[in-house]
Amino acid sequence: MKDYQGNTMRRRVLVAAVGLASTIAGSAVMAQESESLRLEEVRVTASKRVQTIEEIPMAVSILSADDIRNRGLERFEDYLVSIPGVQFIPAGTVYTSLISIRGVADPGAEFGLTQAPVAVYLDEAPLTVSQGSLNLDYSLFGVEQVSVVKGPHSTLYGASSLGGTLKVETRKPSVTDGMFEAQLGYNSISGGDSGYTAAFTASTPLIDGKLGAEVTAYQIDRGGYIDDPSRGLEDINGSETTGGRLAFSWLPTENLSVDAKVYYQDYESDGLSFFNFSSGGLDSRPLDGPQTDGDEVLLGSLVINWNLGFAELVSATNAFERDNFLYRTGPFFGSPGGFTIDSTAEAFTQELRLVSNSEGALDWLVGLYYAAEDYTEVGAFEVGGFPFFSQDLTNDITTVAAFGEASWHLNDRLSLTAGVRVSRYEMDSEIISGGLTEIDFNETDVSPRVALNYEIGDGSSVYIQAARGFRLGQPNTPIPVPAPEFVDAFDSDYLWNYEIGTKTEWWDGRARLNGAIYYIDWSDLQTSLVDPTGTFSFVGNAGSAEITGFELEGAALLATGLTLEAGLSYTDAEFATDVPSQGIVSGDPLLGVPEWQFSAGLQYDFNVAGRDTFLRADYLFYDEYLAFDPFSFDPTSRIANGDYERINARVGMQFGDVQVALFGTNLSDERPRLSVAATFGEDATTLQPRTFGLTLNYRPQ
């Protein structure tokens, strides 16, 4: 297969990598200008207990509330691709936006064909329980922290944590202090429409020291930038997101806490963000009507934490209902075609865990987990006004699991961690598509993890670990044409991740550099396959794959108020076996995985006439990646997407209780092709064009 990676891209990334190393290393001299400079300590809950990032033998990236505010982050495409080792492809609809970590990518996760390869959590609620639980792009307003755990951690997070885990943690109400924050925003897209943001959050004690409440609400109207000349319409792909959150914190005793939250979010597009890449502009193919999608979720959560002295007993109860829809139209072999899909996922999860409080030689955690999900999906494909294909799918999935993990402190510096999760899955599926198909799918999985961590001192450590990841198999959605590799149900896939990493602090805590080198052996991988006509997708177990790579992530206080952040990752993901029907031979790259990613941010905080002021610039390089060629009947044909740079900038000043910020995103107006489909003609996606805007943030001091 042709090597699509160009020398120019490699040179750019090499320069970026040298810049990462030399700039952080050079800060040794600059940081010595002030002995008081020190990076803030980062504390995380990735191991389901509160620890510093240096204490846990796993690779974790963190976005704090300050990071979210300073960078103006709102959604997946704003932040995921800037995290080393995390891949994100916004493929145009709520069913097709794919997240992967360390190259564990699966195009079959589109349309919920498989369980997602990355576990997504909203606080204690797992959102990727099984099929149909698509990635929820939750708004980051009022979010306290975003954590990304890299590599499989099925021991603690279950089946969907094949490549890693994304956890969005919202703020808890205070029982002693009130807080109010409001935000108004306006932006204008180059060659497109305007967008608006309005949000507020208010928190107050209801009973001082005992009960607190917080309410959050937001409305985000995003402007469109795709035109449809055939109908004389402009900016057809706008969207609206409305959401809110109600939270209560209750402390009945000093050893007992109860946190209850209700989340609601509704996203709906005016039109899909597809354009004809070959046209040279941001014009769609001719459309006979609007193409839309939507995502509505209502989630309730109750977390009880009881300090028993020797340990904390935690109960996390969650229930959600999520409705998605997609409507697309266009010509299909010379006749008008239309495709609709409506799906509903209802899930209940319960986790009980006991987490040790002792400071002795052994830290431990044990837990039980239960989940029940009902997923229904109704889809139809019409050609010339007549039904061509339809299906009515119902899945009932039950999961029970027991898990545990223990860390034995062999001495003051060396710790051994071992854990295991035993899970039982039972799925009953009914598919009506030209007849009734009933499938029962049951499986038991055992996923262990072992790690060794050595604390070097001065906030630095080195670790080595091996962990197994697992993803549930499930029924295939029927297709209306014969395909030699189609099966009624595909098997589970699993992988082993072997990793050596380090967390280091330099120059009295003024600089931090973390890194990891890993090798992944992926067996029976679930991947998207296509029928001989190239029209319909299904899932099969396509042999094995091998992934090697590394990640570097650092930050340094170069001088008073001047902070540099940078990240670099390399991912070499290849098939290790042949898949003849898809034109795949051993050594071919996995689809959707860029080799190189580099990001950097520089922020300067200073004072102008007594007003706090900041300047910030962010840079991203995202390498090219391969995809099936939807325009060719040759199964060996591939196209290259991606290969872009993105530059954002932001400047803000404080006026009393109001911060005024001006920003620009995608300043170089890059318009790469990120994905492309061809069912109804050329439907490609790209970055939002150059955008300028203003944000007003009010927060009484």
Side-chain angles (χ1 to χ4, degrees):
M1 168 144 324
K2 180 180 177 181
D3 180 9
Y4 289 90
Q5 310 300 325
N7 292 329
T8 301
M9 288 183 293
R10 287 197 174 96
R11 283 196 298 267
R12 284 189 291 182
V13 175
L14 181 59
V15 170
V18 172
L20 169 67
S22 62
T23 307
I24 291 179
S27 68
V29 176
M30 299 180 68
Q32 289 172 359
E33 295 175 359
S34 174
E35 292 297 325
S36 63
L37 296 180
R38 187 176 182 85
L39 291 169
E40 291 186 7
E41 184 179 67
V42 179
R43 303 187 70 83
V44 297
T45 59
S47 59
K48 299 205 172 184
R49 63 169 74 235
V50 179
Q51 294 176 289
T52 67
I53 204 167
E54 287 75 22
E55 291 175 327
I56 54 176
M58 61 179 73
V60 183
S61 292
I62 298 295
L63 291 172
S64 67
D66 286 340
D67 294 328
I68 294 169
R69 186 180 302 109
N70 292 338
R71 293 168 56 183
L73 306 179
E74 286 185 355
R75 51 181 173 167
F76 283 155
E77 63 188 74
D78 294 334
Y79 66 92
L80 283 180
V81 290
S82 66
I83 299 173
V86 179
Q87 297 85 39
F88 175 67
I89 302 176
T93 80
V94 296
Y95 285 90
T96 56
S97 291
L98 303 179
I99 304 173
S100 59
I101 297 177
R102 289 186 170 175
V104 183
D106 175 20
E110 295 186 359
F111 295 101
L113 296 178
T114 66
Q115 188 177 24
V118 173
V120 178
Y121 274 69
L122 180 55
D123 289 322
E124 289 277 357
L127 301 178
T128 44
V129 178
S130 60
Q131 182 178 9
S133 293
L134 307 172
N135 296 316
L136 175 64
D137 196 352
Y138 191 73
S139 171
L140 295 189
F141 182 78
V143 166
E144 191 70 17
Q145 187 179 86
V146 177
S147 306
V148 177
V149 182
K150 302 170 190 177
H153 288 282
S154 293
T155 301
L156 296 179
Y157 291 104
S160 190
S161 184
L162 188 71
T165 302
L166 169 65
K167 189 175 183 180
V168 177
E169 299 177 71
T170 62
R171 189 169 42 220
K172 291 183 179 181
S174 172
V175 297
T176 57
D177 299 312
M179 185 273 295
F180 180 81
E181 182 178 6
Q183 185 181 100
L184 293 175
Y186 168 83
N187 65 78
S188 179
I189 303 172
S190 177
D193 204 355
S194 300
Y196 308 88
T197 301
F200 82 92
T201 183
S203 178
T204 184
L206 299 178
I207 302 175
D208 189 43
K210 292 292 185 180
L211 180 64
E214 181 172 303
V215 60
T216 299
Y218 51 87
Q219 173 75 31
I220 304 169
D221 292 345
R222 295 189 174 95
Y225 49 87
I226 306 294
D227 299 335
D228 178 12
S230 68
R231 293 184 292 157
L233 299 178
E234 297 181 344
D235 310 326
I236 62 174
N237 63 316
S239 66
E240 299 82 36
T241 301
T242 303
R245 184 171 59 251
L246 182 62
F248 295 94
S249 286
W250 180 35
L251 303 179
T253 73
E254 63 180 20
N255 293 320
L256 182 64
S257 66
V258 180
D259 291 289
K261 294 182 179 180
V262 177
Y263 315 75
Y264 174 79
Q265 182 169 288
D266 181 32
Y267 164 86
E268 188 166 341
S269 68
D270 301 324
L272 303 179
S273 296
F274 289 133
F275 77 110
N276 188 329
F277 188 78
S278 302
S279 70
L282 292 177
D283 295 334
S284 72
R285 58 177 170 79
L287 301 173
D288 57 7
Q291 301 187 100
T292 61
D293 64 349
D295 185 358
E296 183 180 23
V297 63
L298 176 64
L299 186 152
S301 174
L302 180 67
V303 179
I304 302 173
N305 192 310
W306 187 12
N307 190 336
L308 302 175
F310 73 98
E312 291 187 1
L313 179 63
V314 181
S315 170
T317 308
N318 302 280
F320 70 81
E321 179 175 340
R322 188 173 179 193
D323 298 307
N324 300 95
F325 74 87
L326 171 65
Y327 176 64
R328 297 188 60 193
T329 63
F332 187 74
F333 291 101
S335 298
F339 172 73
T340 61
I341 182 171
D342 287 278
S343 60
T344 298
E346 297 179 350
F348 172 84
T349 66
Q350 172 65 56
E351 181 171 294
L352 285 173
R353 62 180 183 267
L354 196 62
V355 184
S356 67
N357 276 336
S358 63
E359 297 183 359
L362 186 68
D363 295 327
W364 50 267
L365 176 154
V366 294
L368 298 172
Y369 175 82
Y370 170 82
E373 181 189 23
D374 295 326
Y375 177 72
T376 60
E377 178 181 292
V378 178
F381 193 85
E382 295 184 351
V383 178
F386 296 95
F388 178 66
F389 170 69
S390 65
Q391 70 163 26
D392 190 339
L393 167 70
T394 301
N395 280 343
D396 295 328
I397 310 105
T398 302
T399 304
V400 292
F403 60 93
E405 190 168 87
S407 295
W408 182 22
H409 304 291
L410 302 174
N411 55 45
D412 291 343
R413 294 179 179 267
L414 186 64
S415 298
L416 174 66
T417 299
V420 66
R421 187 184 192 100
V422 181
S423 305
R424 175 67 177 176
Y425 303 90
E426 297 182 357
M427 178 184 298
D428 298 323
S429 181
E430 290 186 357
I431 305 171
I432 301 174
S433 181
L436 174 64
T437 302
E438 296 181 320
I439 301 173
D440 294 334
F441 193 98
N442 304 316
E443 188 161 4
T444 299
D445 175 70
V446 179
S447 289
R449 172 178 177 258
V450 62
L452 197 63
N453 190 64
Y454 181 74
E455 295 185 11
I456 302 170
D458 296 325
S460 299
S461 62
V462 61
Y463 69 89
I464 182 171
Q465 75 156 332
R468 185 180 186 272
F470 165 82
R471 183 170 50 162
L472 185 64
Q474 50 201 35
N476 249 321
T477 301
I479 60 175
V481 295
E485 299 209 355
F486 182 86
V487 291
D488 289 335
F490 50 91
D491 294 330
S492 309
D493 57 353
Y494 66 93
L495 57 79
W496 278 94
N497 176 83
Y498 305 96
E499 177 178 345
I500 299 175
T502 183
K503 321 282 182 69
T504 63
E505 284 193 358
W506 304 83
W507 310 298
D508 298 324
R510 293 188 290 267
R512 182 181 296 131
L513 183 62
N514 300 336
I517 302 172
Y518 59 87
Y519 167 75
I520 294 174
D521 185 6
W522 190 0
S523 300
D524 296 330
L525 71 156
Q526 301 170 8
T527 192
S528 181
L529 307 175
V530 294
D531 73 279
T533 71
T535 303
F536 296 96
S537 296
F538 57 95
V539 178
N541 296 96
S544 60
E546 295 179 349
I547 307 172
T548 56
F550 69 82
E551 300 144 356
L552 286 173
E553 192 168 22
L557 286 170
L558 304 181
T560 301
L562 185 61
T563 305
L564 170 70
E565 303 156 344
L568 174 70
S569 63
Y570 170 78
T571 310
D572 181 16
E574 297 180 346
F575 285 96
T577 51
D578 298 343
V579 187
S581 67
Q582 306 299 312
I584 296 172
V585 298
S586 179
D588 282 354
L590 296 185
L591 304 183
V593 183
E595 276 195 350
W596 292 99
Q597 294 169 250
F598 175 74
S599 62
L602 187 66
Q603 180 164 323
Y604 183 40
D605 296 282
F606 57 103
N607 193 278
V608 176
R611 304 186 187 280
D612 291 335
T613 306
F614 76 89
L615 296 170
R616 183 177 180 93
D618 289 280
Y619 170 82
L620 169 72
F621 168 73
Y622 200 82
D623 209 348
E624 70 179 17
Y625 48 88
L626 300 186
F628 283 120
D629 184 353
F631 307 105
S632 173
F633 291 107
D634 179 1
T636 67
S637 181
R638 303 288 185 268
I639 58 174
N641 295 327
D643 185 19
Y644 65 89
E645 297 169 275
R646 187 181 69 189
I647 301 172
N648 298 341
R650 197 173 186 90
V651 55
M653 178 176 285
Q654 197 76 27
F655 295 87
D657 294 331
V658 178
Q659 184 194 76
V660 180
L662 301 172
F663 65 88
T665 61
N666 191 13
L667 293 177
S668 56
D669 207 18
E670 296 268 322
R671 300 185 183 181
R673 183 175 60 196
L674 302 180
S675 67
V676 63
T679 303
F680 299 114
E682 186 176 7
D683 286 326
T685 62
T686 190
L687 297 176
Q688 181 172 301
R690 182 189 295 117
T691 302
F692 293 103
L694 168 71
T695 300
L696 303 177
N697 198 86
Y698 172 70
R699 186 169 187 172
Q701 302 300 314

